[in-house]
Amino acid sequence: MKKIILTGDRPTGKLHIGHYVGSLRRRVELQNAGDYDAMYVMIADAQALTDNADHPEKVRQNIIQVALDYLSCGLDPNKITIFIQSLVPQLTELSFYYMNLVTVSRLQRNPTVKSEIQMRDFEASIPVGFFTYPISQAADITAFHATAVPAGEDQKPMLEQTNEIVRKFNATYGETLTEAQILLPENQACLRLPGTDGKAKMSKSLGNCIYLSDSPEEVRQKVMNMFTDPTHLKVSDPGHIEGNTVFTYLDAFCKDEHFAQFCPDYQNLDEMKAHYQRGGLGDVKVKKFLNQVIQSELEPIRRRRAKYEADIPFVLDVLKAGSEKAAKVAQQTLDEVRAAMKLNYFDTDEFAKEQLALFSKS
Ligand code: TRP
């Protein structure tokens, strides 16, 4: 079986370092390892509209932001296809057919949909498009016969729902669609990077994000203001690692080489943690180290961003060409789906023959 990777993001804002450790970094590694037959990365504008119907301009503005974030992280349009969801209308037709294979109660039980409904205060009036977005996500994934989806933990229920649709479709209409597997980050800290304030998730509305496009000074300030251990008042006090955002970020970002480069007092993170827990290691020193680690990770990303920002026509070409390519691939799958569902009336002469036989008065 072919190895096909598909993933995407809603263009509702610039991407932050939570996206980076949760999925972007992995995508770039997968791309560069080259161990796949095709890789697609989608800017999910249609999905973004399911909870931003009143803000089309917000979605429109963020298309280019997300594209710049992708390219500056090292996604390479010569190796992979980057595209815009709404420019692949085949996806909506697939969704329409898949809707018959999913029940309302199954969607109500989808944990991601459930928590998002709460977060958005949609309880009283849920937009149908929003409620059914797991179905459209199944279309996104299956349209490319994706076998692997690198994404964050919150996308797990989407993959389960997708695979249920695949099995139901194949059982009903014959083997057509391909099941996909989610690729989660292995590192616990990367699975769900907290906000700089220690809250469970980075979110734009909480103002607790470090963006990939932040300036060095913005990053430094955010790191120096980060939530640590509230009981660690004096440097000599023993400190706690659990729930200490600075150490969670170090878990997500730091490598042994960073110690050699920026903080040779320690060989590795375990040694630094042990000192902090013993007492005698101040937050400022740890934060300064974290700042250097994050800056060194963001440096090449910033450099690439500056290059692409100076060549926006190139970025637009990438999106246009990628979307055309994606639409071709999705059309093939749609043809297969229509054939399986017996909707391919004029693709062969079979339908004409059947009808002729039915109505011929011999
Ligand atoms: N739901 C994803 C997000 O919130 C975006 C997305 C849409 C996606 N379709 C997808 C992710 C298919 C992976 C696969 O960012």
Side-chain angles (χ1 to χ4, degrees):
M1 193 170 58
K2 285 197 167 170
K3 279 194 197 166
I4 297 172
I5 301 169
L6 176 127
T7 185
D9 302 274
R10 294 180 197 179
T12 51
K14 299 176 288 186
L15 301 182
H16 52 62
I17 61 173
H19 294 115
Y20 182 70
V21 296
S23 167
L24 281 172
R25 184 163 65 181
R26 180 76 171 276
R27 296 178 200 175
V28 177
E29 282 164 13
L30 285 164
Q31 165 196 279
N32 294 338
D35 179 26
Y36 58 87
D37 297 286
M39 181 164 169
Y40 302 91
V41 180
M42 178 183 73
I43 302 179
D45 63 336
Q47 189 179 104
L49 285 169
T50 65
D51 65 334
N52 284 283
D54 301 340
H55 304 289
E57 73 294 340
K58 169 171 148 193
V59 173
R60 183 180 169 93
Q61 294 313 322
N62 281 304
I63 299 267
I64 200 85
Q65 288 297 341
V66 172
L68 284 168
D69 284 329
Y70 286 166
L71 294 169
S72 50
C73 283
L75 288 178
D76 178 352
N78 290 314
K79 298 182 180 154
I80 67 162
T81 305
I82 300 175
F83 71 97
I84 300 176
Q85 186 182 31
S86 69
L87 293 181
V88 184
Q90 290 81 358
L91 300 174
T92 45
E93 187 172 337
L94 286 175
S95 306
F96 193 66
Y97 300 139
Y98 296 170
M99 285 195 180
N100 303 326
L101 307 175
V102 181
T103 63
V104 169
S105 64
R106 176 62 183 87
L107 285 171
Q108 278 166 335
R109 271 186 283 118
N110 184 311
T112 306
V113 174
K114 251 187 175 164
S115 72
E116 288 182 332
I117 285 174
Q118 261 176 12
M119 260 163 51
R120 287 166 180 71
D121 277 332
F122 273 166
E123 276 105 334
S125 59
I126 310 169
V128 174
F130 178 80
F131 185 60
T132 56
Y133 93 74
I135 302 176
S136 100
Q137 193 153 336
D140 302 335
I141 295 168
T142 55
F144 300 91
H145 290 287
T147 53
V149 176
E153 203 182 20
D154 58 332
Q155 299 302 305
K156 227 169 139 186
M158 298 298 152
L159 264 290
E160 282 162 17
Q161 183 115 47
T162 297
N163 288 338
E164 278 175 38
I165 292 174
V166 169
R167 289 192 288 269
K168 185 91 191 267
F169 188 100
N170 289 348
T172 312
Y173 306 114
E175 208 56 43
T176 313
L177 302 175
T178 312
E179 285 192 50
Q181 193 195 352
I182 189 164
L183 300 178
L184 293 170
E186 285 112 28
N187 177 329
Q188 194 59 35
C190 298
L191 212 49
R192 187 154 289 222
L193 197 72
T196 51
D197 55 358
K199 296 232 171 68
K201 220 180 154 175
M202 278 204 182
S203 109
K204 194 166 136 193
S205 50
L206 293 173
N208 61 2
C209 306
I210 295 177
Y211 293 100
L212 291 170
S213 46
D214 277 349
S215 71
E217 183 51 26
E218 283 169 320
V219 172
R220 194 191 64 82
Q221 279 183 17
K222 288 177 185 178
V223 171
M224 295 317 283
N225 288 324
M226 248 162 103
F227 178 82
T228 58
D229 170 9
T231 68
H232 188 238
L233 298 174
K234 283 185 282 167
V235 172
S236 54
D237 289 341
H240 296 88
I241 302 296
E242 304 76 35
N244 186 324
T245 317
V246 175
F247 280 98
T248 310
Y249 277 43
L250 283 173
D251 278 329
F253 280 101
C254 120
K255 303 184 205 105
D256 292 353
E257 301 90 89
H258 290 131
F259 283 96
Q261 204 181 344
F262 303 122
C263 194
D265 295 357
Y266 311 99
Q267 302 249 326
N268 54 45
L269 188 54
D270 287 338
E271 281 185 22
M272 183 181 237
K273 283 181 178 172
H275 191 187
Y276 190 82
Q277 285 171 309
R278 240 185 359 256
L281 173 55
D283 282 329
V284 171
K285 182 164 174 181
V286 187
K287 283 178 172 176
K288 280 191 170 153
F289 175 58
L290 174 62
N291 177 50
Q292 286 170 309
V293 170
I294 296 185
Q295 300 284 3
S296 75
E297 189 91 5
L298 294 186
E299 222 315 281
I301 298 178
R302 273 188 205 119
R303 240 183 300 123
R304 276 189 295 258
R305 175 178 278 269
K307 193 182 95 192
Y308 289 115
E309 280 183 355
D311 194 359
I312 294 297
F314 171 81
V315 181
L316 299 176
D317 278 347
V318 164
L319 294 177
K320 187 154 179 280
S323 302
E324 282 163 11
K325 159 108 190 283
K328 279 208 187 94
V329 177
Q331 184 60 47
Q332 272 173 23
T333 306
L334 183 57
D335 290 343
E336 291 158 20
V337 160
R338 294 180 61 115
M341 295 181 75
K342 309 249 173 272
L343 303 172
N344 56 341
Y345 309 111
F346 301 113
D347 291 358
T348 67
D349 57 8
E350 225 175 297
F351 178 67
K353 277 189 187 154
E354 278 164 27
Q355 302 307 311
L356 271 172
L358 219 54
F359 290 96
S360 66
K361 303 211 173 70
S362 61

CSV table of all heavy atoms in Angstrom, one decimal, residues 186-208:
chain,number,residue,atom,x,y,z
A,186,GLU,N,5.6,11.9,20.1
A,186,GLU,CA,6.0,10.9,21.2
A,186,GLU,C,6.1,11.5,22.5
A,186,GLU,O,5.8,10.9,23.5
A,186,GLU,CB,7.3,10.2,20.8
A,186,GLU,CG,7.1,9.2,19.7
A,186,GLU,CD,7.8,9.6,18.4
A,186,GLU,OE1,8.8,10.3,18.5
A,186,GLU,OE2,7.4,9.2,17.3
A,187,ASN,N,6.6,12.7,22.5
A,187,ASN,CA,7.0,13.4,23.8
A,187,ASN,C,5.8,14.0,24.4
A,187,ASN,O,5.0,14.8,23.8
A,187,ASN,CB,8.0,14.5,23.3
A,187,ASN,CG,8.5,15.4,24.5
A,187,ASN,OD1,7.7,15.6,25.4
A,187,ASN,ND2,9.7,15.8,24.4
A,188,GLN,N,5.5,13.7,25.7
A,188,GLN,CA,4.4,14.1,26.4
A,188,GLN,C,4.2,15.7,26.4
A,188,GLN,O,3.1,16.2,26.2
A,188,GLN,CB,4.5,13.6,27.9
A,188,GLN,CG,3.2,13.7,28.7
A,188,GLN,CD,2.0,12.9,28.1
A,188,GLN,OE1,2.2,11.8,27.5
A,188,GLN,NE2,0.8,13.4,28.2
A,189,ALA,N,5.3,16.4,26.5
A,189,ALA,CA,5.3,17.8,26.6
A,189,ALA,C,4.8,18.4,25.3
A,189,ALA,O,4.1,19.4,25.2
A,189,ALA,CB,6.6,18.4,26.9
A,190,CYS,N,5.1,17.7,24.2
A,190,CYS,CA,4.7,18.2,22.8
A,190,CYS,C,3.3,17.9,22.5
A,190,CYS,O,2.7,18.5,21.7
A,190,CYS,CB,5.6,17.5,21.8
A,190,CYS,SG,7.3,18.0,22.0
A,191,LEU,N,2.8,16.9,23.2
A,191,LEU,CA,1.4,16.4,23.0
A,191,LEU,C,0.4,17.6,23.3
A,191,LEU,O,-0.6,17.8,22.6
A,191,LEU,CB,1.1,15.3,23.9
A,191,LEU,CG,0.1,14.2,23.4
A,191,LEU,CD1,0.5,13.7,22.0
A,191,LEU,CD2,0.2,13.0,24.4
A,192,ARG,N,0.7,18.3,24.3
A,192,ARG,CA,-0.2,19.5,24.7
A,192,ARG,C,0.7,20.5,25.4
A,192,ARG,O,0.8,20.5,26.6
A,192,ARG,CB,-1.3,19.0,25.5
A,192,ARG,CG,-2.3,20.1,25.8
A,192,ARG,CD,-3.7,19.5,26.1
A,192,ARG,NE,-4.3,18.9,24.9
A,192,ARG,CZ,-5.5,19.1,24.5
A,192,ARG,NH1,-6.3,19.8,25.3
A,192,ARG,NH2,-6.0,18.5,23.4
A,193,LEU,N,1.3,21.4,24.6
A,193,LEU,CA,2.1,22.4,25.2
A,193,LEU,C,1.2,23.4,25.8
A,193,LEU,O,0.3,24.0,25.2
A,193,LEU,CB,3.0,23.1,24.1
A,193,LEU,CG,4.2,23.9,24.5
A,193,LEU,CD1,5.2,22.9,25.1
A,193,LEU,CD2,4.7,24.7,23.4
A,194,PRO,N,1.4,23.7,27.1
A,194,PRO,CA,0.6,24.7,27.8
A,194,PRO,C,0.9,26.1,27.3
A,194,PRO,O,1.9,26.3,26.7
A,194,PRO,CB,0.9,24.5,29.3
A,194,PRO,CG,2.3,23.9,29.3
A,194,PRO,CD,2.4,23.2,28.1
A,195,GLY,N,0.0,27.0,27.7
A,195,GLY,CA,0.2,28.4,27.4
A,195,GLY,C,1.3,29.0,28.3
A,195,GLY,O,1.7,28.3,29.3
A,196,THR,N,1.9,30.2,28.0
A,196,THR,CA,2.9,30.7,28.8
A,196,THR,C,2.5,31.0,30.2
A,196,THR,O,3.3,31.2,31.1
A,196,THR,CB,3.5,32.0,28.2
A,196,THR,OG1,2.4,32.9,27.9
A,196,THR,CG2,4.2,31.8,26.9
A,197,ASP,N,1.1,31.1,30.4
A,197,ASP,CA,0.6,31.4,31.7
A,197,ASP,C,0.3,30.1,32.5
A,197,ASP,O,-0.2,30.1,33.6
A,197,ASP,CB,-0.7,32.2,31.6
A,197,ASP,CG,-1.7,31.5,30.7
A,197,ASP,OD1,-1.4,30.4,30.1
A,197,ASP,OD2,-2.8,32.0,30.5
A,198,GLY,N,0.7,29.0,31.9
A,198,GLY,CA,0.5,27.7,32.6
A,198,GLY,C,-0.9,27.1,32.4
A,198,GLY,O,-1.1,25.9,32.7
A,199,LYS,N,-1.8,27.8,31.7
A,199,LYS,CA,-3.1,27.2,31.3
A,199,LYS,C,-2.9,26.1,30.3
A,199,LYS,O,-2.0,26.1,29.6
A,199,LYS,CB,-4.0,28.3,30.8
A,199,LYS,CG,-4.3,29.4,31.7
A,199,LYS,CD,-5.8,29.7,31.9
A,199,LYS,CE,-6.2,30.6,33.0
A,199,LYS,NZ,-5.7,32.0,32.7
A,200,ALA,N,-3.9,25.2,30.4
A,200,ALA,CA,-3.8,23.9,29.6
A,200,ALA,C,-3.4,24.1,28.2
A,200,ALA,O,-2.7,23.3,27.6
A,200,ALA,CB,-5.1,23.2,29.7
A,201,LYS,N,-3.9,25.1,27.5
A,201,LYS,CA,-3.7,25.2,26.1
A,201,LYS,C,-3.3,26.6,25.6
A,201,LYS,O,-3.8,27.6,26.2
A,201,LYS,CB,-5.0,24.8,25.4
A,201,LYS,CG,-4.8,24.0,24.1
A,201,LYS,CD,-6.0,23.6,23.5
A,201,LYS,CE,-5.7,23.3,22.0
A,201,LYS,NZ,-6.9,22.8,21.2
A,202,MET,N,-2.5,26.7,24.6
A,202,MET,CA,-2.2,28.0,24.0
A,202,MET,C,-3.4,28.4,23.2
A,202,MET,O,-3.9,27.6,22.4
A,202,MET,CB,-1.0,27.8,23.0
A,202,MET,CG,0.3,27.9,23.7
A,202,MET,SD,1.6,28.4,22.5
A,202,MET,CE,2.9,28.2,23.6
A,203,SER,N,-3.9,29.6,23.4
A,203,SER,CA,-5.0,30.0,22.6
A,203,SER,C,-4.9,31.6,22.5
A,203,SER,O,-4.5,32.3,23.4
A,203,SER,CB,-6.3,29.6,23.2
A,203,SER,OG,-7.0,30.7,23.7
A,204,LYS,N,-5.2,32.0,21.2
A,204,LYS,CA,-5.0,33.3,20.9
A,204,LYS,C,-5.9,34.2,21.8
A,204,LYS,O,-5.4,35.3,22.3
A,204,LYS,CB,-5.5,33.5,19.5
A,204,LYS,CG,-5.2,34.8,18.9
A,204,LYS,CD,-5.4,34.8,17.4
A,204,LYS,CE,-6.0,36.0,16.9
A,204,LYS,NZ,-6.5,35.9,15.5
A,205,SER,N,-7.1,33.8,22.1
A,205,SER,CA,-8.0,34.6,23.0
A,205,SER,C,-7.4,34.7,24.4
A,205,SER,O,-7.7,35.7,25.1
A,205,SER,CB,-9.4,34.0,23.0
A,205,SER,OG,-9.3,32.6,23.3
A,206,LEU,N,-6.6,33.8,24.9
A,206,LEU,CA,-6.1,33.9,26.2
A,206,LEU,C,-4.8,34.7,26.2
A,206,LEU,O,-4.2,35.1,27.3
A,206,LEU,CB,-5.8,32.5,26.8
A,206,LEU,CG,-7.0,31.6,27.1
A,206,LEU,CD1,-6.6,30.2,27.5
A,206,LEU,CD2,-7.9,32.3,28.2
A,207,GLY,N,-4.2,35.0,25.0
A,207,GLY,CA,-3.0,35.8,24.9
A,207,GLY,C,-1.8,35.1,25.5
A,207,GLY,O,-1.0,35.8,26.1
A,208,ASN,N,-1.8,33.8,25.5
A,208,ASN,CA,-0.7,33.1,26.1
A,208,ASN,C,0.1,32.3,25.2
A,208,ASN,O,0.6,31.2,25.5
A,208,ASN,CB,-1.3,32.2,27.2
A,208,ASN,CG,-2.2,31.1,26.7
A,208,ASN,OD1,-2.4,31.1,25.5
A,208,ASN,ND2,-2.8,30.3,27.5
